[in-house]
Amino acid sequence: RLGANLGGAMAAVPAMVIVLLARRGWKPNARGLAIVALVTLVFTAGLFAADTLRGGASQSHMGRAVGSGAFNLVEVMQRKLALNFMLVSGSLWSRLLGLSLVGSAALLWWGNRRLPGKLLTNEEAAAALGTCFGIAGAFAFNDSGVVAAATCSVYLWMLFALRVLLRNGLGDHIH
C-alpha cells in the first residue's frame, strides 16, 4: 500500500538526490538543500495526487487525509509526531540510533586523525552523506521514525567500522 510506504519514499528521495549531487562534487549549501527539498516536495505531491485520484478502498490513509482536507492531514501528522515522541522516550530503538550515530562520528573522527590518507573514497563519502540525510528523513517522515532511523544508522556505522578495519590491515583476514 502506498500510504504504508510513503514515509520511506519521502526519506529515500532526498537521500538519493544528495548522493547523486555529492558524487558530482557538490558540497552541502543552502541553494543545494533548497533544490533537494523542492525535488522531495514535488515527488511527495505527485504521490499524494496519485493516491488521492485512486479513490475508494484502494486509497491509503494518507490519500484519504489529503482528499478530505487540511484538518485531517494535521491530525495524521499530530498522531505520527506523538508516536515518534513515545518511541524516542521509551524504546530501545532510540538507544540504538544514538549509539550508532555516536559510534559513527567517533569512527570517522578517529579514522581521519589516526590513519594516513582519507578514510572514505569519494563514492563512500557521498554514500555516507546520503545516508545521514536518509536517517534524518526516516526519522521525520515515518510512522515509527526512530525505528527506521536506527535501522538506517546501523549501515552508516558499519561503513565506518569496515573502513577503519580495512585501513588498519585487519581486513586481510576477512574474505
Side-chain angles (χ1 to χ4, degrees):
R1 304 226 349 148
L2 182 59
N5 299 319
L6 185 63
M10 289 173 63
V13 168
M16 287 188 286
V17 172
I18 293 287
V19 169
L20 293 172
L21 289 173
R23 184 60 193 104
R24 298 182 56 84
W26 173 77
K27 304 284 186 222
N29 58 41
R31 182 177 177 269
L33 293 175
I35 291 170
V36 171
L38 182 63
V39 168
T40 304
L41 184 66
V42 168
F43 178 80
T44 303
L47 285 177
F48 278 141
D51 194 29
T52 303
L53 293 174
R54 290 191 316 171
S58 64
Q59 199 174 49
S60 75
H61 67 285
M62 290 306 293
R64 286 190 296 275
V66 169
S68 59
F71 179 74
N72 283 345
L73 192 57
V74 169
E75 185 180 310
V76 168
M77 290 168 41
Q78 286 174 333
R79 257 194 344 260
K80 288 176 183 285
L81 192 59
L83 177 60
N84 267 335
F85 279 127
M86 188 268 306
L87 285 170
V88 165
S89 65
S91 167
L92 288 175
W93 290 100
S94 60
R95 291 180 185 97
L96 177 62
L97 176 61
L99 286 172
S100 295
L101 293 177
V102 168
S104 295
L107 285 168
L108 181 62
W109 178 85
W110 187 84
N112 281 334
R113 279 160 186 71
R114 297 290 183 153
L115 299 172
K118 291 179 7 178
L119 179 64
L120 301 176
T121 66
N122 290 341
E123 292 83 7
E124 291 166 342
L129 183 61
T131 302
C132 290
F133 276 85
I135 291 166
F139 186 83
F141 300 130
N142 278 287
D143 288 351
S144 52
V146 69
V147 176
T151 304
C152 293
S153 70
V154 170
Y155 290 101
L156 182 65
W157 177 83
M158 282 303 300
L159 170 65
F160 293 135
L162 287 172
R163 291 304 297 157
V164 166
L165 284 173
L166 292 172
R167 293 288 306 280
N168 273 321
L170 299 174
D172 298 338
H173 305 291
I174 304 173
H175 291 290

